[in-house]
Amino acid sequence: MKNDAKNDLAYIRELMLDTRRAACLSGGYFIVWGIAVGAALLVTWLQLTQDWAPTPFITWTACFVLGSLGNFYLVRQDMREPVQAPAGRLIGMVWLALGVTQLILFFAGLGTGAIPGQHMPALFCALIGTGVFLTGVLAGYPWLRNLAFGWWLGSVVMFVWPGLYVLLLMSLMLLILYVVPGTILIRMKQRQQAAAGV
């Protein structure tokens, strides 16, 4: 009976370590998407306030293409890891589901006019907050989980007080609440690899 309890604890400990390793792999994705979307938000703001061509729809399509290419590169890099932990796949599936939801909202919702463009940043902030929250919970990183509250607060502000400024606000949020944490996660991964002698 005692051996079973020890084995169960060892299994849980290893699962938590795998999840933390997987969360550290997420850092690159945070940076790629944070930069791609942040740049698209700034370009969109310029297009709408300075009458720049092309249309924002083309800008965002380019953003998704460039982000997807960066994503593909990172997935290829992650596949070189010695073992793909179930936790890594779980975190990946969370972000895949949120990404598909965002694509549907963008192409079907915004593209058809069913969702007004002014609400897209607020919707996306709410979804990003959900992904950050789940990643933080699964990885056991309270600091990452708590960043979700910043995303959700930003979403509420954008819904309550809409305007072109939300493009700049979300761009700033991506830098502070997405790119910076992504950099922290990458540094954590490097420390883990150095400690393991990789």
Side-chain angles (χ1 to χ4, degrees):
M1 189 86 141
K2 286 184 180 180
N3 282 339
D4 287 344
K6 284 182 181 179
N7 288 340
D8 288 346
L9 286 174
Y11 174 76
I12 291 169
R13 193 175 300 120
E14 186 61 32
L15 185 61
M16 288 178 68
L17 286 172
D18 284 345
T19 308
R20 286 189 174 187
R21 282 186 219 115
C24 290
L25 292 176
S26 300
Y29 299 97
F30 280 34
I31 293 170
V32 164
W33 284 105
I35 290 172
V37 174
L41 285 163
L42 288 174
V43 170
T44 301
W45 181 79
L46 288 169
Q47 289 169 325
L48 296 175
T49 60
Q50 308 297 321
D51 274 342
W52 275 21
T55 67
F57 193 80
I58 292 172
T59 300
W60 283 96
T61 302
C63 165
F64 286 125
V65 169
L66 292 174
S68 296
L69 290 173
N71 205 73
F72 178 74
Y73 171 78
L74 291 170
V75 166
R76 300 268 305 167
Q77 293 295 106
D78 289 348
M79 292 176 79
R80 294 182 184 167
E81 292 289 319
V83 176
Q84 291 292 313
R89 288 192 294 275
L90 182 60
I91 289 173
M93 290 298 108
V94 165
W95 286 103
L96 176 65
L98 291 170
V100 168
T101 302
Q102 289 175 335
L103 287 173
I104 291 169
L105 290 172
F106 178 76
F107 287 107
L110 182 64
T112 63
I115 299 174
Q118 70 182 16
H119 296 307
M120 293 304 286
L123 288 169
F124 278 30
C125 283
L127 290 170
I128 291 169
T130 301
V132 168
F133 184 86
L134 290 172
T135 300
V137 168
L138 291 170
Y141 291 141
W143 67 269
L144 185 59
R145 177 202 65 211
N146 292 340
L147 292 177
F149 295 101
W151 283 106
W152 293 329
L153 178 61
S155 177
V156 169
V157 167
M158 292 176 194
F159 272 123
V160 174
W161 296 288
L164 288 178
Y165 81 95
V166 302
L167 300 171
L168 298 176
L169 176 59
M170 185 175 177
S171 185
L172 182 63
M173 289 173 64
L174 281 164
L175 177 64
I176 296 170
L177 300 176
Y178 215 57
V179 173
V180 170
T183 304
I184 293 169
L185 289 170
I186 286 174
R187 287 187 180 151
M188 291 171 71
K189 177 184 176 184
Q190 291 168 344
R191 275 188 251 132
Q192 287 174 356
Q193 289 174 333
V198 177

